Amino acid sequence: RFATGPKGPTRLPPGPPRVPIIGSIPFVPREFRIKGRGLHTPKLFHYLARKYGPVCHIWLGPVPTIVISDAKILREAFKSNNMSSRPIMKPFHEFRYGSQDGTQRGLVLSSGKEWEDQRKFTIKQLKGLGLARKSMESMILYEIGQLADLLTEELDEPIDLCFKTNLSVVNALWMILVGERLSLDDQRLIRIVQSIENVLKSAQVASLLALLLPNVFKMISPRFERAKVMFEECKSLMRTAINAHIASRDDNNSDFIHVYLNEIDQHDLESSSFCGEKGLQSLEIVLIDLFIGGSETTSTSINWTILYLLHNPEVQDKIHAELDRVVGRSRDDPPNLCHNLELDYMNAVIAESMRKSTVVSSGVPHHVDEDTWIGDYFFPRGTSVMANLTYIHHDPQLWENPEEFNPDRFLGPSGHFVASPNVMPFSVGKRFCLGKELAEQEFYLFLSGLLHRFRFENPPDQDLPNISFCHDDVNTGFLRYPPSYNVILRPRF
Ligand code: HEM
């Protein structure tokens, strides 16, 4: 396990004290502990960064977690091979065809050669399936058209957009991965979206503690059983889709499941994660990882952006003016990927929204495999490492008035969009989000497509929810959700 001295791992960076087994939890100030829901991780990590500096630690149970809150150090650290695996996450290996030692199938929680092989294959296939080709774009545009038509039936009245955008984003992914187009009221689609939502909501970061004390957690927490049921539901949906592909193997088919099954056929070495039954299990979990990784993240980012626009109507006016100038005002010609190059203000709004919302607020934990120095900071073997992305996105040394929603910070002197390396919602380094390119394209196409068709307004009787970071009381989980709100859609033409 970790490099220990008589009092635990040697040379940990600064951090709060701890007691045996439950670690630093008793020393976490009350304001960051939310009854029944665990720790408010984004706020707690902010507090740790301010109190203990850019690299500090906290004991979440019996294992120390190092929290990196500095953009430069994070880039260096996550570039290292020594920090690109995941901590052993028992008891979740039980859901994911894992072994007793906690190793598991799939992309998000696997490590070593299995992770490398699965990641390399998935990235190659996502590209091959058309990320760079027209087909992917037209699939997403079709979904946006469907969503816009559905929303047209609910114009001029307050609606909650979240579930609808989520349905649409999952449907686009379903088409890309499974090769099947579902209608937005298809009961299967609704079940998939609900199951993914439930898995994510039951997997709070606070249950990190649970991961670290797996047997205690399993015995006492109803959350574990709930998460297990939800995950099994997702698995059965994926297995049905895989079996349907196996039953009708068609060489003209080029969706993800099809190419993965072809890959399984190429492997007969038992040690390979693509071999035989293990390959089929890997495919199931990879699909779930892609759906879980790619659905709520994208739709939640869209929902944050719409809320920022309700707070800043002048920003929405500028977007509309730019869309009218670059794209025009015809329903038959929605914004596409070529327009993106000319939509500087839209790109600035997206970057600012990604910065402010940071939907995956602390990334996914990494594991230190070998003692490692990053500059002056020592990372002992066996510790977990988390990226304090929300803090980096609000770091006053990087951002002027970080609480302000100000897309202009990403415009150069001639009004062109200038990206910043310090906006890192997809994390950085060896393990950065493998869906980044797809997510960026979807986010841009959905947002610009909806804004092309509609104007978003705050219902007259609704007080806009407070969105400042210190008022965020809802977020204890892996994802940072916006507070719930309604919106009125007005047609633009
Ligand atoms: C706005 C949308 C998204 C955001 C903000 C986001 C963010 C992230 C972050 C922060 C990580 C953790 C990286 C790390 O461990 O350092 C991650 C991992 C991952 N994401 Fe995304 N993501 C998004 C969309 C997507 C999409 C569309 C997909 C796929 C369809 C996807 C699939 C994954 C997978 C499979 C991983 C695990 C990668 C690995 O462990 O190697 N994500 N994402």
Side-chain angles (χ1 to χ4, degrees):
R1 306 294 306 269
F2 26 38
T4 43
K7 291 189 179 158
T10 47
R11 288 176 291 178
L12 276 172
R18 60 152 173 153
V19 293
I21 305 176
I22 54 171
S24 309
I25 305 298
F27 303 96
V28 169
R30 202 169 276 281
E31 61 201 282
F32 308 122
R33 285 188 258 162
I34 300 175
K35 208 165 169 224
R37 285 196 288 138
L39 301 175
H40 192 301
T41 324
K43 278 191 184 176
L44 169 63
F45 282 11
H46 248 62
Y47 158 83
L48 292 176
R50 278 200 296 262
K51 184 157 174 157
Y52 298 105
V55 180
C56 59
H57 84 276
I58 179 166
W59 291 76
L60 294 166
V63 178
T65 295
I66 297 183
V67 180
I68 304 181
S69 309
D70 177 274
K72 207 163 147 231
I73 300 170
L74 185 69
R75 273 192 289 269
E76 278 305 303
F78 280 9
K79 229 174 17 189
S80 162
N81 279 332
N82 295 348
M83 283 191 218
S84 63
S85 59
R86 297 283 186 222
I88 296 289
M89 290 209 186
K90 279 182 176 182
F92 291 121
H93 70 293
E94 285 181 21
F95 312 179
R96 303 170 57 94
Y97 301 114
S99 328
Q100 269 311 313
D101 63 3
T103 51
Q104 28 190 303
R105 307 278 86 83
L107 291 163
V108 179
L109 300 182
S110 58
S111 293
K113 179 148 173 36
E114 175 151 359
W115 163 68
E116 275 171 27
D117 290 350
Q118 295 294 331
R119 182 174 166 109
K120 202 166 138 200
F121 175 83
T122 305
I123 290 179
K124 185 168 160 223
Q125 295 316 321
L126 283 181
K127 277 200 197 311
L129 287 175
L131 256 187
R133 280 200 254 131
K134 270 279 180 219
S135 57
M136 182 87 82
E137 180 183 5
S138 50
M139 281 183 225
I140 300 171
L141 285 174
Y142 177 85
E143 271 323 309
I144 297 167
Q146 275 215 45
L147 176 65
D149 290 346
L150 185 85
L151 294 174
T152 304
E153 290 165 20
E154 298 184 75
L155 293 175
D156 304 321
E157 56 186 272
I159 54 167
D160 181 349
L161 262 184
C162 295
F163 193 71
K164 293 185 176 73
T165 37
N166 210 356
L167 268 184
S168 213
V169 168
V170 172
N171 208 12
L173 265 181
W174 191 259
M175 180 68 211
I176 293 163
L177 299 175
V178 182
E180 184 188 10
R181 174 158 282 145
L182 305 175
S183 70
L184 287 178
D185 55 3
D186 187 299
Q187 283 309 308
R188 239 179 338 147
L189 177 66
I190 293 172
R191 258 178 63 212
I192 299 164
V193 174
Q194 283 169 341
S195 307
I196 293 175
E197 210 176 289
N198 286 332
V199 166
L200 271 170
K201 287 191 171 149
S202 55
Q204 306 288 304
V205 172
S207 48
L208 263 183
L209 176 64
L211 300 173
L212 302 168
L213 291 169
N215 292 330
V216 180
F217 175 61
K218 259 175 72 173
M219 276 189 295
I220 60 170
S221 176
R223 260 195 220 151
F224 178 75
E225 275 312 309
R226 227 181 307 142
K228 196 170 176 173
V229 171
M230 302 305 166
F231 208 87
E232 290 303 331
E233 163 119 40
C234 288
K235 269 161 68 176
S236 111
L237 287 162
M238 299 309 154
R239 178 58 74 143
T240 309
I242 296 168
N243 286 342
H245 277 68
I246 294 174
S248 58
R249 292 288 285 272
D250 172 2
D251 279 342
N252 295 322
N253 203 339
S254 61
D255 60 62
F256 186 80
I257 297 185
H258 179 81
V259 285
Y260 201 108
L261 289 172
N262 285 348
E263 185 70 15
I264 290 177
D265 290 344
Q266 317 283 314
H267 290 262
D268 46 20
L269 256 185
E270 264 193 39
S271 57
S272 162
S273 53
F274 288 101
C275 178
E277 184 57 26
K278 207 206 260 185
L280 288 173
Q281 293 173 348
S282 299
L283 171 56
E284 234 176 79
I285 304 297
V286 165
L287 283 171
I288 294 180
D289 284 350
L290 292 173
F291 276 104
I292 291 186
S295 54
E296 293 240 326
T297 44
T298 311
S299 55
T300 304
S301 301
I302 297 168
N303 290 320
W304 268 112
T305 312
I306 293 170
L307 186 53
Y308 294 134
L309 296 182
L310 295 186
H311 273 269
N312 299 275
E314 72 292 352
V315 173
Q316 191 174 179
D317 292 340
K318 286 194 200 169
I319 294 178
H320 283 147
E322 189 185 57
L323 284 171
D324 288 351
R325 179 170 53 76
V326 176
V327 183
R329 290 171 70 88
S330 161
R331 277 182 190 204
D332 298 332
D333 291 313
N336 59 33
L337 291 177
C338 291
H339 294 123
N340 189 4
L341 298 172
E342 289 177 73
L343 292 171
D344 288 293
Y345 194 69
M346 173 65 78
N347 280 304
V349 168
I350 287 175
E352 179 64 342
S353 180
M354 288 275 194
R355 179 190 74 82
K356 280 270 304 156
S357 59
T358 321
V359 293
V360 187
S361 67
S362 327
V364 181
H366 289 221
H367 181 261
V368 184
D369 293 333
E370 298 296 336
D371 286 353
T372 306
W373 283 93
I374 303 292
D376 294 338
Y377 296 96
F378 181 63
F379 293 74
R381 172 168 61 89
T383 45
S384 293
V385 183
M386 293 194 73
N388 196 354
L389 299 174
T390 321
Y391 185 86
I392 291 171
H393 286 170
H394 289 81
D395 184 347
Q397 292 188 25
L398 300 176
W399 311 102
E400 207 180 316
N401 299 325
E403 269 288 339
E404 198 185 330
F405 182 82
N406 175 18
D408 290 356
R409 65 174 96 237
F410 295 103
L411 294 177
S414 55
H416 289 304
F417 171 64
V418 184
S420 161
N422 296 323
V423 177
M424 43 179 81
F426 301 98
S427 189
V428 285
K430 293 247 159 23
R431 212 150 180 162
F432 80 96
C433 171
L434 64 71
K436 176 175 184 280
E437 207 177 325
L438 172 60
E440 285 174 338
Q441 294 187 358
E442 276 192 312
F443 189 8
Y444 156 75
L445 287 171
F446 267 92
L447 194 67
S448 58
L450 292 177
L451 279 158
H452 186 237
R453 290 278 294 269
F454 307 109
R455 178 171 185 81
F456 296 104
E457 287 178 13
N458 188 42
D461 55 351
Q462 173 181 269
D463 285 338
L464 271 172
N466 192 325
I467 48 172
S468 65
F469 184 71
C470 61
H471 274 89
D472 170 7
D473 290 328
V474 289
N475 287 298
T476 55
F478 278 108
L479 290 196
R480 267 196 85 223
Y481 294 95
S484 63
Y485 65 95
N486 284 332
V487 60
I488 292 181
L489 269 63
R490 309 273 189 216
R492 294 192 58 237
F493 43 80

